[in-house]
Amino acid sequence: MATFVDRVVLHVQAGNGGHGCASIKREKFKPLGGPDGGNGGHGGNVILKVDPQVHTLLDFHFKQHAKGGNGQPGQGSYKDGANGTDLVLLVPDGTVVHSSTGEVLVDLVGNGTEFVIAEGGRGGRGNESLANSKRKAPGFAELGEPGEAHEVILELKSVADVGLVGYPSAGKSSLIAALSAARPKIADYPFTTLVPNLGVIRIDDKTFTMADVPGLIPGAAQGKGLGLEFLRHIERTAVLAHVIDCATLEPGRDPLSDIDALEHELAEYGGLADKPRLVVLNKIDVPEARELADMVRPEIEARGLRVFEISAATREGTKELTYALGSIVAEHWASQVTPEPTRIILRPKAVDDTGFTVEVDEDGTFVVKGQRVQRWVLQTNFNNDEAIGFLADRLARIGVEDALAKAGAKPGAPVRIGTREFDWEPTVYAGMDVSPVGHRGTDVRMEQTDRKGAAARKAERNQRRVRADDDTDGDFFVEEYEV
């Protein structure tokens, strides 16, 4: 028998974008062929898709890491790299996706429903796409953007109309077998049912599904028995049916106390108070059980609950129960508000929205935040001076230079964008699309000076922090250093 898994942790990694190509067209008798480097392909997405043939999350229990295909790098002769292959993961209907912090990202219900859980990185542009009237033959290309990586939790909540709850061996599985074509494992010992069983019931022109929850016991909502693990499978149901064993020989148990115990556990779990209930008094084929059912029925009905006396073994009373359940389910779906078609909402960008912010960290570092600027940094080859100059032009063009100056940054101040930290060197040439001078891959603005680099300055700051922590007298000191 296959293992049933309804909760797993999944690590997803979308494909990385391919690097752009820096190439110059070289042909005989064509000394000025120009740049012909192609763009890199986009990385593949990781997609979750509902498949009606999948009923468990077992596959992800054994394979918890999933990765989309990487985009291929661009090549010369204007050849773009191929896009990475999307990875489609098939999940059961009713799968809920949580973030690592517990936030619900999406509830996948309905055959074919898809959700992109991790988006592939963009491919880098080749030098042919980066050429313009000023920079006619770029000696660099953009790097591919890394794909998104997430840790998510997949949780399966069965999509059923009727939920059967009751003590172990109350006859829930037998009832499903009597009403539908499902053939669950049935035995006379506790916890025979280790997985939720689903059955499809058809009556007249109505069709609905029924699920039984593995036996609840007192304390199930706190983790005892199997109840806590499977109570989530009745959250989507339209009606709950308490299946009561009227022929039990366990001391201290009777139908009324069983109902009270079940209601207590449902209340402890939470979120089920508004669901309609009815009571199914089972096993009336036993004479003593029939007498007990007749005796407690008036008291149960006095609580406002409908009562049905049945025998799952002989199918006595099951027809009336089936019609009642079908009617309740039909009323439930008729009362549901028809969802409106999805509206396309356009949110124009504010006129004063620059797309980035500048903040000052505790150690005096100016931190530039924004999706666009962080992507630009990721796509920059910092081993190529011309690429660094191109990045400086882009940042200055959208106002990063001015924003740093307004925030109080001085020449040489440490600036961090994403994972990169460097010294700020404002220049009047930034943002002006300066024509490169010299060999490709170089930029006159990137010439070395006697100023300390970002790595050296960061090491000095860390050293000053260590010395400040070692100051046992608690006195503050100021260290003078040359800027």
Side-chain angles (χ1 to χ4, degrees), residues 214-450:
L216 301 182
I217 61 174
Q222 283 73 44
K224 294 183 179 180
L226 303 175
L228 178 63
E229 184 175 356
F230 295 110
L231 270 171
R232 67 174 68 97
H233 292 280
I234 61 176
E235 290 185 14
R236 303 181 189 273
T237 57
V239 58
L240 297 179
H242 292 306
V243 181
I244 305 300
D245 182 3
C246 289
T248 181
L249 299 178
E250 294 184 24
R253 281 187 54 192
D254 60 79
L256 297 176
S257 63
D258 283 2
I259 295 174
D260 292 337
L262 293 173
E263 286 292 338
H264 176 75
E265 295 308 317
L266 295 177
E268 287 291 315
Y269 185 76
L272 304 173
D274 296 334
K275 292 190 180 297
R277 267 97 156 148
L278 56 80
V279 176
V280 179
L281 301 178
N282 192 20
K283 303 183 181 180
I284 61 171
D285 53 299
V286 178
E288 294 81 359
R290 187 183 296 272
E291 294 178 2
L292 180 60
D294 293 337
M295 183 169 52
V296 299
R297 178 168 186 157
E299 190 168 348
I300 297 175
E301 290 178 338
R303 299 184 181 186
L305 299 173
R306 296 178 63 181
V307 180
F308 294 86
E309 300 179 14
I310 70 158
S311 170
T314 64
R315 302 192 178 185
E316 179 183 351
T318 56
K319 186 174 182 180
E320 293 80 1
L321 174 62
T322 303
Y323 275 99
L325 293 174
S327 176
I328 296 175
V329 171
E331 292 177 3
H332 169 77
W333 288 117
S335 65
Q336 299 301 302
V337 178
T338 303
E340 296 182 0
T342 303
R343 296 182 179 180
I344 299 177
I345 301 176
L346 301 179
R347 294 185 174 89
K349 182 179 178 181
V351 294
D352 58 346
D353 184 8
T354 59
F356 67 89
T357 59
V358 177
E359 302 175 1
V360 183
D361 209 348
E362 296 178 353
D363 60 356
T365 302
F366 292 83
V367 183
V368 182
K369 297 181 179 179
Q371 183 178 5
R372 181 168 53 166
V373 295
Q374 291 178 356
R375 183 176 71 246
W376 289 351
V377 169
L378 288 173
Q379 293 181 325
T380 299
N381 180 6
F382 284 88
N383 295 322
N384 186 302
D385 286 347
E386 189 178 353
I388 299 175
F390 179 70
L391 172 64
D393 292 337
R394 302 177 83 179
L395 296 177
R397 194 177 297 114
I398 65 173
V400 174
E401 295 259 353
D402 294 337
L404 287 171
K406 291 180 181 179
K410 303 297 181 182
V415 176
R416 183 167 63 246
I417 304 179
T419 59
R420 285 282 180 174
E421 185 172 327
F422 47 87
D423 291 338
W424 183 46
E425 294 289 351
T427 122
V428 295
Y429 303 106
M432 301 298 293
D433 279 336
V434 178
S435 299
V437 178
H439 298 288
R440 287 190 301 274
T442 63
D443 192 306
V444 294
R445 298 170 296 176
M446 299 295 114
E447 293 180 356
Q448 294 295 325
T449 65
D450 57 354

Side-chain angles (χ1 to χ4, degrees), residues 5-324:
V5 177
D6 64 350
R7 191 178 189 277
V8 296
V9 177
L10 182 64
H11 304 270
V12 293
Q13 168 72 62
N16 300 326
H19 299 330
C21 176
S23 172
I24 299 297
K25 188 175 183 66
R26 302 182 185 276
E27 292 184 3
K28 191 175 182 180
F29 307 121
K30 291 185 180 180
L32 301 177
D36 66 344
N39 303 328
H42 300 312
N45 301 327
V46 179
I47 303 172
L48 300 178
K49 182 177 180 180
V50 174
D51 187 341
Q53 301 302 319
V54 179
H55 305 288
T56 176
L57 300 174
L58 180 63
D59 291 344
F60 306 114
H61 177 72
F62 296 105
K63 188 176 180 181
Q64 298 181 345
H65 295 266
K67 188 178 187 305
N70 293 330
Q72 297 301 309
Q75 301 180 35
S77 300
Y78 311 104
K79 296 179 180 178
D80 293 339
N83 293 333
T85 304
D86 291 341
L87 178 62
V88 180
L89 304 176
L90 303 180
V91 297
D93 192 6
T95 300
V96 181
V97 184
H98 300 264
S99 67
S100 57
T101 59
E103 177 187 1
V104 177
L105 301 178
V106 66
D107 191 351
L108 298 173
V109 178
N111 182 21
T113 303
E114 293 185 357
F115 177 70
V116 178
I117 192 64
E119 190 171 351
R122 297 187 183 187
R125 290 182 295 174
N127 65 343
E128 189 272 334
S129 297
L130 297 173
N132 55 34
S133 59
K134 295 289 186 181
R135 197 185 301 270
K136 296 183 179 181
F140 68 97
E142 290 180 342
L143 303 178
E145 184 183 6
E148 293 181 343
H150 302 293
E151 178 184 289
V152 296
I153 300 172
L154 304 184
E155 187 177 79
L156 176 60
K157 295 181 180 179
S158 299
V159 181
D161 298 310
V162 180
L164 303 181
V165 294
Y167 270 73
S169 299
K172 301 183 297 298
S173 300
S174 300
L175 179 57
I176 286 185
L179 300 182
S180 69
R183 292 296 175 263
K185 181 179 179 181
I186 300 172
D188 59 353
Y189 54 86
F191 301 120
T192 304
T193 304
L194 300 178
V195 303
N197 293 312
L198 288 174
V200 178
I201 296 97
R202 180 183 297 275
I203 180 170
D204 295 339
D205 58 343
K206 301 184 182 69
T207 300
F208 60 93
T209 57
M210 177 183 293
D212 71 327
V213 179
L216 301 182
I217 61 174
Q222 283 73 44
K224 294 183 179 180
L226 303 175
L228 178 63
E229 184 175 356
F230 295 110
L231 270 171
R232 67 174 68 97
H233 292 280
I234 61 176
E235 290 185 14
R236 303 181 189 273
T237 57
V239 58
L240 297 179
H242 292 306
V243 181
I244 305 300
D245 182 3
C246 289
T248 181
L249 299 178
E250 294 184 24
R253 281 187 54 192
D254 60 79
L256 297 176
S257 63
D258 283 2
I259 295 174
D260 292 337
L262 293 173
E263 286 292 338
H264 176 75
E265 295 308 317
L266 295 177
E268 287 291 315
Y269 185 76
L272 304 173
D274 296 334
K275 292 190 180 297
R277 267 97 156 148
L278 56 80
V279 176
V280 179
L281 301 178
N282 192 20
K283 303 183 181 180
I284 61 171
D285 53 299
V286 178
E288 294 81 359
R290 187 183 296 272
E291 294 178 2
L292 180 60
D294 293 337
M295 183 169 52
V296 299
R297 178 168 186 157
E299 190 168 348
I300 297 175
E301 290 178 338
R303 299 184 181 186
L305 299 173
R306 296 178 63 181
V307 180
F308 294 86
E309 300 179 14
I310 70 158
S311 170
T314 64
R315 302 192 178 185
E316 179 183 351
T318 56
K319 186 174 182 180
E320 293 80 1
L321 174 62
T322 303
Y323 275 99

